[in-house]
Amino acid sequence: FRSIFGDSDQLRYFSAPGRTEVGGNHTDHNHGKVLAASVNLDVIAVVEPTDDNIIKIKSEGFPEDSVDISDLSVHENEKNSSAALIRGVAGGFKNNGLNIGGFRAYTTSNVMKGSGLSSSAAFEVLIGNILSGIYNAGSISAVKIAQIAQYAENEYFGKPCGLMDQMACSVGGFVTIDFNDPKNPVIEEVDFDFAKCGHSLCIVDTKGSHSDLTDEYAAIRTEMESVAEFFGKKVLREVSEEEFKSKIRELRTAVGDRAILRAMHFYADNARVLKEVDALRGGDFETFKKYILESGASSYKYNQNVFSVKQPSVQPVSLALAVSESILKGRGAWRVHGGGFAGTIQAFVPNDLLKDYKSIMESIFGEGTCYVLYIRPVGGTEI
């Protein structure tokens, strides 16, 4: 910071974590339930307040952004840029009657891009915490900051994301979210001390390419919603599981077998989130792992988002899951992480197996591809 902006006696420090999806795979877009958690990888900022309306942020490895927040309109030429997120968070604060102002910041991040750990949500939450800390005496709730961050990504950045990523980054620890009413999601913190469970959380980056897979991701939501449409509804959450099961024969003709299987996954994984939460709250990590395995199996068999049918010879996620099972069977838990088809898997690894697990996975997928994480109990914060 000093090398770019000079010395200051007003420096303040902020941090916002990345997040991991734990339960509810592809349930949020059909207004289901999810379980997520913040992790110990974060984006941090050194910040100096200024008396103008300019927010200047220099992020390590990226060009400096300079945003004049006296103009909070959506700039089409800023879409898909960090400047859009900065302007969007400021705009969200202003829309909610909150104070905003200028600052200069230098940021660094170890939330890997493309890892499924939500580096963009962490950045948005960081900006929200800076504006809350400097101009609103730190009074803005974690939930409100998450909602403003989602608004910035939807309206300014141009990505129609849900609220799970921002909420997990902002609130911290384990958090469960019910999207039955997506405009007013029900958020509950889940009290569980991950540090005492004898396991580490591993995210393995299989280095699979997401290129040409957009239609595969989109098909999951489209097919789930085609089942809902059969019943005159928009999303599966509006259709009872009993009603769905009573019409499977007719659905086969109307929407096809894969859509039915994906709906089966939705209902099962949506219900499983509550079971995972109950296990954590009861301190029963062994039962929690059982549900993680069930969720992973359901994603593989029914949601079918572990490999692409267009590339049957390319199955890095399938391979990572198979190797994980050979190492962890009877001891740990493993599942596809996030959207699927390529990218990352998640594993809960007993600490006495951690060294071997990391070594074997990196011997296959490359050095540095197995990230050993823990659940961070604090979300976005001033340090």
Side-chain angles (χ1 to χ4, degrees):
F1 178 94
R2 286 173 174 139
S3 69
I4 295 169
F5 299 116
D7 208 351
S8 171
D9 57 3
Q10 298 185 70
L11 296 184
R12 294 168 72 168
Y13 308 88
F14 295 83
S15 164
R19 74 96 184 101
T20 181
E21 171 201 289
V22 179
N25 189 230
H26 279 281
T27 53
D28 58 335
H29 51 63
N30 265 252
H31 298 188
K33 301 169 185 174
V34 299
L35 174 63
S38 58
V39 298
N40 57 301
L41 301 181
D42 64 344
V43 53
I44 60 175
V46 180
V47 182
E48 178 188 30
T50 59
D51 56 8
D52 55 19
N53 272 326
I54 308 297
I55 294 178
K56 289 186 177 182
I57 299 181
K58 175 68 172 79
S59 297
E60 185 179 32
F62 295 92
E64 180 182 303
D65 287 305
S66 181
V67 176
D68 184 348
I69 57 172
S70 59
D71 174 11
L72 295 175
S73 63
V74 175
H75 290 207
E76 290 298 321
N77 64 335
E78 282 183 350
K79 290 284 178 78
N80 297 300
S81 73
S82 53
L85 297 178
I86 297 165
R87 196 183 305 275
V89 172
F93 266 67
K94 196 70 172 177
N95 291 347
N96 281 273
L98 305 173
N99 300 323
I100 59 173
F103 62 83
R104 302 188 295 186
Y106 186 84
T107 78
T108 66
S109 176
N110 57 5
V111 185
M112 310 81 68
K113 288 187 178 294
S115 63
L117 297 173
S118 295
S119 57
S120 61
F123 182 73
E124 297 152 16
V125 167
L126 180 78
I127 298 166
N129 274 273
I130 294 170
L131 290 175
S132 174
I134 293 176
Y135 293 107
N136 295 273
S139 63
I140 313 306
S141 73
V143 170
K144 176 57 71 176
I145 289 173
Q147 291 170 330
I148 290 172
Q150 181 202 21
Y151 166 79
E153 190 153 341
N154 289 174
E155 302 300 325
Y156 286 74
F157 188 83
K159 180 181 177 182
C161 66
L163 187 58
M164 178 182 74
D165 296 352
Q166 291 82 1
M167 197 63 72
C169 294
S170 190
V171 173
F174 284 99
V175 59
T176 182
I177 311 168
D178 187 340
F179 291 105
N180 192 33
D181 177 0
K183 291 185 178 179
N184 297 286
V186 178
I187 302 114
E188 294 182 22
E189 294 181 56
V190 181
D191 186 19
F192 178 78
D193 187 354
F194 184 76
K196 295 180 179 178
C197 71
H199 289 67
S200 293
L201 169 64
C202 291
I203 300 293
V204 180
D205 183 359
T206 69
K207 299 299 182 182
S209 172
H210 287 91
S211 61
D212 300 322
L213 291 175
T214 301
D215 58 336
E216 295 269 29
Y217 295 112
I220 296 177
R221 179 173 185 169
T222 300
E223 290 179 17
M224 286 185 182
E225 290 177 354
S226 73
V227 174
E229 188 179 356
F230 176 89
F231 294 96
K233 305 294 184 181
K234 289 187 176 181
V235 292
L236 283 176
R237 188 65 182 274
E238 298 173 343
V239 181
S240 74
E241 186 174 6
E242 293 72 23
E243 190 177 9
F244 158 72
K245 287 181 176 178
S246 73
K247 297 291 184 180
I248 286 179
R249 182 168 182 168
E250 294 91 329
L251 282 164
R252 293 191 69 193
T253 302
V255 301
D257 291 340
R258 190 171 71 169
I260 295 170
L261 290 167
R262 284 175 163 166
M264 286 179 166
H265 165 78
F266 171 86
Y267 288 114
D269 229 34
N270 193 51
R272 199 174 285 117
V273 167
L274 290 181
K275 296 176 182 177
E276 292 167 342
V277 169
D278 287 344
L280 288 176
R281 284 179 170 155
D284 188 351
F285 200 70
E286 291 305 307
T287 297
F288 168 77
K289 287 190 297 181
K290 177 174 79 78
Y291 292 130
I292 292 294
L293 288 170
E294 286 183 8
S295 176
S298 180
S299 291
Y300 209 149
K301 294 188 292 185
Y302 307 131
N303 204 40
Q304 298 181 21
N305 63 321
V306 169
F307 65 91
S308 169
V309 294
K310 296 189 298 184
Q311 303 171 325
S313 64
V314 181
Q315 298 195 33
V317 175
S318 307
L319 179 59
L321 293 171
V323 175
S324 295
E325 181 175 11
S326 71
I327 303 168
L328 302 176
K329 191 169 184 178
R331 297 285 313 280
W334 53 93
R335 68 192 283 270
V336 63
H337 184 239
F341 297 108
T344 58
I345 71 161
Q346 175 190 80
F348 291 92
V349 181
N351 289 334
D352 62 306
L353 294 178
L354 181 60
K355 184 177 179 181
D356 286 345
Y357 182 80
K358 179 176 171 65
S359 175
I360 293 169
M361 298 308 280
E362 293 193 345
S363 74
I364 296 169
F365 296 103
E367 187 175 350
T369 53
C370 180
Y371 302 96
V372 181
L373 310 178
Y374 60 84
I375 304 302
R376 162 171 151 158
V378 178
T381 187
E382 182 169 5
I383 301 166

